[in-house]
Amino acid sequence: MDAYEVRGRLDVIEEEEAADEDAFVMVQDSPDVFCGDCGVLTVRGAAAHVSHALVTLAAGAQQMKDQLSKSRSKLSEKIIEMENFASNLEEIFITVEENFGRQEQNLEQHYNEVLQTLSQRNEARAAALDEQKNDKLERLYGQLLRCGQTLDASKELIESAQEVHRRRDKRAFLQAIMPIMKRVEQFAREEVDLKLGASLDFDVPTTDLSDVRQMMESINVLPAPSAPVMNPQIANSATETSLHVCWSLFSDDTVEFYELYWRLISDDCTMETPQEVCQLKVKETHCTVSDLLPNAQYELWVTATNTTGISPASERAVYMTVPSPPVIKARQCVSSLDAALIRWDSGNTNPVESYTLEFQEASADGESTATESIVAIPSCECLVQLQSWKRYIIHIRAVNIGGPSDRSPPLHISTTGTFFHLLEDTAHPSLSLSADGLTMFYLDEDLPISHMTFSDNTFNRCVAVLGDLVPIRGQYYWEMEVDESAEFRVGVAYEDTQRNSYLGGNNTSWCMRHILTPSRHKYEFLHNGWTPDIRITVQPLRIGVFLDYGRGILSFYNAALRQHLYTFSCQFLHYVHPCFALDNPGALTLCTGLTAPPYVAQP
Amino acid sequence: MLIFGGRLLQRAVNGAMALTQVSSNKCCDGYQKVFEHDSSELKCKMKFAIYLPPKAESSKCPVLYWLSGLTCTEQNFITKAGSQQAASEHGIIVVAPDTSPRGCNIEGEEESWDFGTGAGFYVNATQEPWKTNYRMYSYVTEELPRLINSNFPADPEKMSISGHSMGGHGALICALKNPGKYKSVSAFAPICNPIQCAWGQKAFSGYLGADKSTWELYDATVLAESYSGPELDILIDQGRDDQFLSSSQLLPDNLIAACSKKKIPVVFRLQQGYDHSYYFIFSFINDHIKHHAKYLNA
């Protein structure tokens, strides 16, 4: 049975008001298979579909569903393609509009220029013609006037001659006739100039329209490129001697190559003449310029060139090379158990913006450890807090707008004790220091007066010198070795302790003093000129000094015997500095970097 | 005390060195106690004061022996010197014995305040009627330490000695005569050179007889001049306004000279305005205990 009959059946069943499916299935001769080849419902064993691919209704339904979804997906793909094409078209539409718009503008501009030039020429030529005309007319008119005058004169003469001719009186006639005759003859003899004063031709000057021709020709030619734009300096793209320069072209102009120009602009006042301009031809929109000076500013600009010509120069950009690395001044650094004060030389003649201090723990097996940094340091020194009992490596970098310099050579610091040096510019001129800065001598010789250069900062009575110390309120320990016969004063003082006073004699210094009398050794512990009465039986030759800001104490020890000698109790209002003086010729050696012995640091 | 209860019992059974607690007061988180015992050296009942710091409850502590001066008992130091705070902080046991045997009924012992009762001078007397009981030197250097080490959580290797006036003399001679026994020594206004002062001459002639060579055995200045032994570190405080200093009883210059010559480390501090009293001791006792702690707690 064919599809129509099936439909007819279905209609019948519908008319019978929705018989259930089971009933439908059990009706005889109802279709129960699907022919894949013909795509119709049919009955099993139907003659028309004997050799066709027959499948169950369920399978058939599934097959058709699969086919349907395949076709559906093909259709969706096509739709996407069309959409893409459509948006592409949109873009092209816009671009074409833009490009044509530009071309139109260009053309309009060009033609305007041409028209302007033509009208200028026209005006010029017209003016020239006008001039000529006026000139000729003037001359002709002049001639006309002269003719008229001549005519008038002649007529007058003839009249007067006639008048004389009519006179009866022969005597009067003869008297008057000769001059008149003469005049008439003279007049008749005169040649009359009957030539035209001006030619009737017009002198047409040839107009120079070559530039108009040129402009017309160039309408069809590529315009010269518009000026490129210099990019600002990219962070960290510069080195000490090179700059990485970039620029951009904000138009679709064709460019064959660029030319980059640069010139050193320095704040260095010694250069008064402007520096040479260097240039480089480059195909890309970036390039690296080398052989430059460190920490210097350069002015850069660029032009773009194509077959038509060269673009105007871009605005000038200023780039800066990175500074040279600083150099740490090891002799002037001080450290303690928990901090260090680092000082360095800038390494650059011109100022830099700031410095960065980097520190990391030195590991025993060469493994790299985390680096910590302190940035934006404005001057050439920095106080850094560290952990006790460790070794650190410290580097400094100089920073300007071009970026950071390379690292300075390293400084090794151990936070195992108090390290410091003597402040040489506070030393009394009679006090000389050893090369390593740790031993001081008061020599038994008269120095020449010229040697005795005092300044506001040097001690000028007490032969003394101050030491430097980390400016942190912590604990510090150092030792000194003295000669048996050295009469000394050692202790601490405020940085502004009076330079014309003796250590211990004022309220800004505290010290232990040794006096050698003929009979014995005398010891004083001086502050503000006062000392307790203390006798010491064994002369200390190695003196330990312990300073503790927290507990407000300054203690002195015979370090060789571990013997406590005396302790000052004082709340220090400011940071104090170690101080040393020799009252008589002798020597004193400083020992720094020592760890405070346990008997010292205990409360 | 519980830990040592067993040993106490044993001793009681043995009939030797029985300790009786006389008093106990909590002080600075530790305990100030007084004990009484029968002394074998002195042949009489003797009291001594002992301060046990908080640390003594859990571990052994070093011991500082304090010898008091003329007329004192075991009470003066523990009530007037204010030593308990520093002893507590540094974890040091402080033992303060009496200054002479008591109740021995020796004729003449009550006659003077500077000889006999309360004036033992820390010697072992050789003369009658003193020689049986007046053996303070042996009591302090031998019997007392044995007693303390057996009955209290004391570290037997860590002992120091200090004292005032006659007790200062006692501390100095005990240290000088026993090199290495005491880790440190200090003194307040000590009688430095007894054979040269009135006190010493009176006491030594009574206890030791007329032969001055026997006196030298108990004179700190003389002992210093011939000292050889481990290095000492001596701290001496002396009040400048001490009447006995001005009456030449103390003579510290002689000791200083001797120690300078023999290179014995001494720090001698002359304290302006201070006298011979316990107010003076109170003012500087912390420095002394800190001085001892440096060596005892090392």
Side-chain angles (χ1 to χ4, degrees):
Chain A
M1 114 173 39
D2 66 355
Y4 294 101
E5 280 194 23
V6 170
R7 211 183 283 131
R9 281 289 172 114
L10 284 173
D11 289 291
V12 165
I13 287 164
E14 268 177 33
E15 277 164 19
E16 287 177 0
E17 292 180 47
D20 57 341
E21 276 199 337
D22 289 8
F24 170 68
V25 166
M26 288 205 313
V27 171
Q28 274 291 13
D29 289 340
S30 64
D32 53 355
V33 285
F34 181 74
C35 174
D37 293 338
C38 306
V40 293
L41 289 164
T42 184
V43 184
R44 198 185 305 276
H49 307 282
V50 145
S51 53
H52 295 175
L54 295 175
V55 291
T56 60
L57 289 179
Q62 191 58 41
Q63 255 182 36
M64 294 320 292
K65 278 195 186 144
D66 284 343
Q67 267 194 343
L68 190 64
S69 54
K70 268 193 215 144
S71 314
R72 225 181 44 216
S73 56
K74 269 196 222 152
L75 194 61
S76 339
E77 270 174 30
K78 273 222 146 52
I79 291 175
I80 293 173
E81 255 184 64
M82 289 299 290
E83 278 177 4
N84 284 346
F85 184 60
S87 61
N88 214 17
L89 272 180
E90 259 186 68
E91 273 177 32
I92 292 172
F93 180 84
I94 293 171
T95 312
V96 165
E97 202 177 46
E98 269 179 25
N99 281 347
F100 272 89
R102 224 177 304 126
Q103 285 287 59
E104 275 172 18
Q105 254 185 11
N106 223 11
L107 205 63
E108 203 183 295
Q109 196 185 3
H110 248 110
Y111 274 102
N112 277 341
E113 276 176 31
V114 171
L115 285 175
Q116 234 179 20
T117 317
L118 276 177
S119 88
Q120 274 173 6
R121 293 279 183 280
N122 180 36
E123 272 176 34
R125 228 218 256 186
L129 271 176
D130 209 38
E131 239 183 77
Q132 255 190 42
K133 171 184 95 179
N134 288 339
D135 187 52
K136 288 194 200 288
L137 283 177
E138 248 182 66
R139 271 196 268 160
L140 286 173
Y141 188 70
Q143 242 186 10
L144 196 63
L145 276 180
R146 278 198 300 277
C147 280
Q149 280 173 353
T150 315
L151 269 174
D152 284 343
S154 316
K155 277 200 187 141
E156 211 183 310
L157 202 53
I158 291 175
E159 265 184 39
S160 56
Q162 275 188 337
E163 204 196 290
V164 168
H165 186 268
R166 264 186 257 123
R167 211 171 285 169
R168 299 260 176 223
D169 189 357
K170 299 232 177 6
R171 209 187 321 131
F173 173 79
L174 281 173
Q175 267 177 331
I177 192 74
M178 284 320 293
I180 289 174
M181 260 242 282
K182 274 210 184 103
R183 270 167 54 209
V184 173
E185 279 174 7
Q186 189 185 21
F187 206 76
R189 255 184 276 147
E190 266 180 31
E191 296 223 359
V192 177
D193 183 7
L194 294 170
K195 274 208 318 251
L196 272 179
S199 87
L200 296 169
D201 293 324
F202 278 95
D203 192 3
V204 181
T206 48
T207 322
D208 180 10
L209 289 172
S210 58
D211 47 351
V212 178
R213 203 172 300 132
Q214 201 181 43
M215 277 199 282
M216 293 296 296
E217 276 169 18
S218 75
I219 280 173
N220 297 329
V221 161
L222 275 178
S226 34
V229 174
M230 293 292 296
N231 288 3
Q233 186 171 8
I234 302 172
N236 297 330
S237 61
T239 70
E240 261 180 73
T241 53
S242 72
L243 290 171
H244 186 75
V245 190
C246 301
W247 55 88
S248 328
L249 197 62
F250 286 102
S251 62
D252 267 351
D253 303 332
T254 323
V255 171
E256 257 193 38
F257 61 86
Y258 296 93
E259 294 228 56
L260 175 67
Y261 299 83
W262 68 92
R263 184 163 69 95
L264 173 66
I265 41 175
S266 49
D267 313 307
D268 203 348
C269 311
T270 58
M271 304 196 193
E272 278 167 13
T273 56
Q275 292 289 291
E276 265 183 31
V277 177
C278 307
Q279 71 187 81
L280 192 63
K281 190 159 143 179
V282 153
K283 288 225 172 225
E284 305 84 14
T285 54
H286 58 88
C287 107
T288 302
V289 177
S290 336
D291 277 339
L292 302 174
L293 297 175
N295 196 33
Q297 285 188 320
Y298 286 87
E299 201 177 38
L300 299 122
W301 63 97
V302 67
T303 60
T305 308
N306 63 14
T307 47
T308 309
I310 306 179
S311 75
S314 67
E315 292 284 325
R316 298 189 178 199
V318 174
Y319 277 40
M320 195 153 185
T321 46
V322 138
S324 302
V327 176
I328 298 181
K329 298 194 278 200
R331 271 281 283 267
Q332 297 193 27
C333 296
V334 290
S335 68
S336 69
L337 279 177
D338 31 38
L341 179 65
I342 312 291
R343 296 187 170 107
W344 58 87
D345 269 326
S346 166
N348 292 278
T349 41
N350 292 340
V352 298
E353 222 177 68
S354 70
Y355 298 93
T356 301
L357 184 146
E358 296 176 358
F359 62 99
Q360 59 186 135
E361 263 183 63
S363 67
D365 44 4
E367 260 180 44
S368 61
T369 51
T371 303
E372 282 183 60
S373 303
I374 300 176
V375 299
I377 302 168
S379 61
C380 288
E381 66 176 44
C382 177
L383 184 65
V384 53
Q385 304 261 18
L386 301 168
Q387 292 182 332
S388 309
W389 314 110
K390 296 204 172 174
R391 281 174 24 247
Y392 288 90
I393 304 175
I394 298 187
H395 295 272
I396 310 285
R397 292 184 199 260
V399 178
N400 65 14
I401 48 169
S405 69
D406 284 337
R407 296 202 302 195
S408 66
L411 176 73
H412 295 266
I413 293 256
S414 293
T415 51
T416 51
T418 304
F419 288 87
F420 67 91
H421 51 270
L422 296 172
L423 293 169
E424 293 178 18
D425 54 351
T426 60
H428 186 280
S430 298
L431 201 64
S432 30
L433 299 178
S434 63
D436 63 2
L438 294 176
T439 304
M440 64 193 81
F441 306 91
Y442 180 7
L443 297 171
D444 193 5
E445 47 186 59
D446 285 326
L447 288 172
I449 299 291
S450 56
H451 252 112
M452 307 286 272
T453 42
F454 293 95
S455 77
D456 284 341
N457 208 13
T458 57
F459 285 95
N460 51 50
R461 283 223 203 127
C462 191
V463 180
V465 65
L466 292 181
D468 205 355
L469 212 58
V470 179
I472 280 194
R473 297 181 79 88
Q475 296 178 338
Y476 301 91
Y477 178 77
W478 62 93
E479 290 180 5
M480 281 143 291
E481 279 176 1
V482 292
D483 294 346
E484 270 187 29
S485 56
E487 290 192 307
F488 56 82
R489 297 175 198 240
V490 293
V492 299
Y494 291 133
E495 203 281 328
D496 58 359
T497 189
Q498 295 87 315
R499 300 293 194 264
N500 59 359
S501 152
Y502 283 87
L503 292 180
N506 49 40
N507 65 355
T508 54
S509 56
W510 294 256
C511 66
M512 170 179 169
R513 181 182 177 197
H514 170 234
I515 303 164
L516 194 54
T517 70
S519 53
R520 62 186 183 98
H521 296 271
K522 199 162 161 226
Y523 294 93
E524 295 183 348
F525 293 89
L526 284 165
H527 174 64
N528 222 359
W530 184 86
T531 174
D533 193 329
I534 296 197
R535 317 284 167 87
I536 296 173
T537 55
V538 176
Q539 181 187 13
L541 295 175
R542 194 175 170 96
I543 298 159
V545 180
F546 179 67
L547 168 67
D548 187 335
Y549 283 93
R551 281 187 269 149
I553 60 175
L554 177 70
S555 299
F556 295 87
Y557 294 85
N558 178 334
L561 301 178
R562 304 188 303 155
Q563 183 189 29
H564 169 255
L565 300 173
Y566 184 72
T567 296
F568 285 100
S569 278
C570 34
Q571 286 302 324
F572 298 107
L573 302 172
H574 313 290
Y575 296 121
V576 289
H577 291 262
C579 61
F580 313 87
L582 288 162
D583 289 337
N584 268 321
L588 190 157
T589 301
L590 179 61
C591 306
T592 72
L594 302 165
T595 310
Y599 64 83
V600 163
Q602 273 171 22
Chain B
M1 278 301 284
L2 285 171
I3 324 166
F4 296 89
R7 278 224 235 145
L8 244 176
L9 216 49
Q10 187 185 4
R11 296 269 186 231
V13 163
N14 290 348
M17 297 197 224
L19 282 182
T20 325
Q21 183 169 291
V22 172
S23 67
S24 173
N25 300 88
K26 188 156 187 185
C27 182
C28 299
D29 264 349
Y31 289 90
Q32 181 63 66
K33 295 174 183 269
V34 175
F35 287 89
E36 189 175 45
H37 71 113
D38 278 310
S39 165
S40 52
E41 287 287 348
L42 307 176
K43 311 274 188 300
C44 65
K45 282 200 186 320
M46 282 294 282
K47 290 204 194 112
F48 64 88
I50 178 165
Y51 177 74
L52 295 161
K55 187 176 158 207
E57 286 184 29
S58 51
S59 59
K60 288 199 180 194
C61 298
V63 183
L64 172 65
Y65 289 89
W66 170 271
L67 304 179
S68 293
L70 291 166
T71 76
C72 291
T73 65
E74 81 289 348
Q75 287 293 313
N76 309 70
F77 179 70
I78 63 174
T79 54
K80 292 185 176 184
S83 60
Q84 288 85 349
Q85 184 67 56
S88 171
E89 277 170 16
H90 291 279
I92 297 175
I93 294 172
V94 183
V95 175
D98 202 342
T99 50
S100 74
R102 303 252 172 201
C104 302
N105 283 321
I106 300 171
E107 198 180 320
E109 69 177 356
E110 301 293 337
E111 263 173 37
S112 338
W113 60 276
D114 55 2
F115 182 77
T117 302
F121 271 88
Y122 304 102
V123 301
N124 286 348
T126 54
Q127 302 299 302
E128 291 291 2
W130 313 103
K131 68 182 213 196
T132 314
N133 303 96
Y134 277 71
R135 295 181 57 76
M136 286 301 289
Y137 177 74
S138 290
Y139 178 68
V140 166
T141 55
E142 288 166 36
E143 183 177 357
L144 195 55
R146 272 203 305 271
L147 191 67
I148 300 298
N149 294 341
S150 318
N151 292 283
F152 299 97
D155 183 341
E157 304 296 314
K158 299 268 181 79
M159 292 200 300
S160 286
I161 192 160
S162 185
H164 167 241
S165 191
M166 176 184 76
H169 142 84
L172 289 169
I173 62 171
C174 288
L176 288 165
K177 284 163 80 72
N178 295 279
K181 185 183 179 87
Y182 299 98
K183 294 279 176 269
S184 51
V185 54
S186 75
F188 290 82
I191 301 171
C192 298
N193 199 191
I195 64 181
Q196 302 280 10
C197 73
W199 274 337
Q201 284 155 359
K202 177 172 174 181
F204 287 178
S205 58
Y207 297 131
L208 305 173
D211 181 4
K212 295 211 174 137
S213 61
T214 60
W215 298 7
E216 289 177 356
L217 299 172
Y218 295 103
D219 184 306
T221 302
V222 175
L223 291 166
E225 276 166 3
S226 56
Y227 177 79
S228 71
E231 207 155 59
L232 292 166
D233 184 354
I234 306 176
L235 174 64
I236 300 177
D237 269 313
Q238 172 66 58
R240 194 191 229 126
D241 290 2
D242 186 332
Q243 52 175 322
F244 302 111
L245 178 67
S246 36
S247 59
S248 303
Q249 293 279 29
L250 304 177
L251 305 170
D253 289 329
N254 298 353
L255 180 64
I256 291 168
C259 289
S260 301
K261 210 162 91 180
K262 289 297 284 187
K263 305 254 182 287
I264 297 174
V266 173
V267 173
F268 174 86
R269 317 192 299 186
L270 196 60
Q271 302 286 10
Q272 193 145 32
Y274 289 94
D275 57 17
H276 199 73
S277 68
Y278 266 88
Y279 295 109
F280 166 58
I281 298 172
F282 186 101
S283 306
F284 298 101
I285 190 70
N286 286 350
D287 285 351
H288 284 245
I289 293 184
K290 201 157 113 180
H291 169 79
H292 293 291
K294 189 167 99 183
Y295 296 97
L296 294 175
N297 286 335

